[in-house]
Amino acid sequence: METQFLTDEKGNRTAVLLPIKKYNKLIENLEDLEDVRLYDEAKREDDGYRISFEDYMKTRESKKSNV
């Protein structure tokens, strides 16, 4: 693994150095987890109104054609 640690004078780890690709992947994974969290929260607050993705796309397409 390419991870490196910075240590203090006593040898305690105080920081981490990561390759940028690994850092970017971690950020991407955190964003995905946040999306799941927000979805779960919205689902708990569901007011019963739902529309299927297919219906949404049909509505969207019909609005585009009316422009």
Side-chain angles (χ1 to χ4, degrees), residues 1-62:
M1 180 179 269
E2 301 173 46
T3 305
Q4 296 177 335
F5 298 95
L6 300 179
T7 57
D8 63 15
E9 61 279 351
K10 294 181 182 178
N12 299 315
R13 293 177 177 177
T14 58
V16 178
L17 295 174
L18 299 172
I20 195 68
K21 285 183 180 181
K22 187 167 188 163
Y23 169 80
N24 288 335
K25 185 65 176 169
L26 284 171
I27 295 300
E28 181 181 315
N29 289 341
L30 285 172
E31 290 170 350
D32 290 346
L33 284 172
E34 177 66 4
D35 291 343
V36 169
R37 186 192 69 76
L38 290 172
Y39 172 80
D40 288 344
E41 183 180 317
K43 200 170 175 185
R44 277 192 304 274
E45 298 171 1
D46 185 8
D47 61 2
Y49 176 76
R50 291 190 183 105
I51 184 170
S52 70
F53 181 73
E54 291 80 16
D55 289 342
Y56 165 76
M57 290 304 292
K58 287 176 190 175
T59 304
R60 184 173 177 220
E61 290 302 317
S62 68

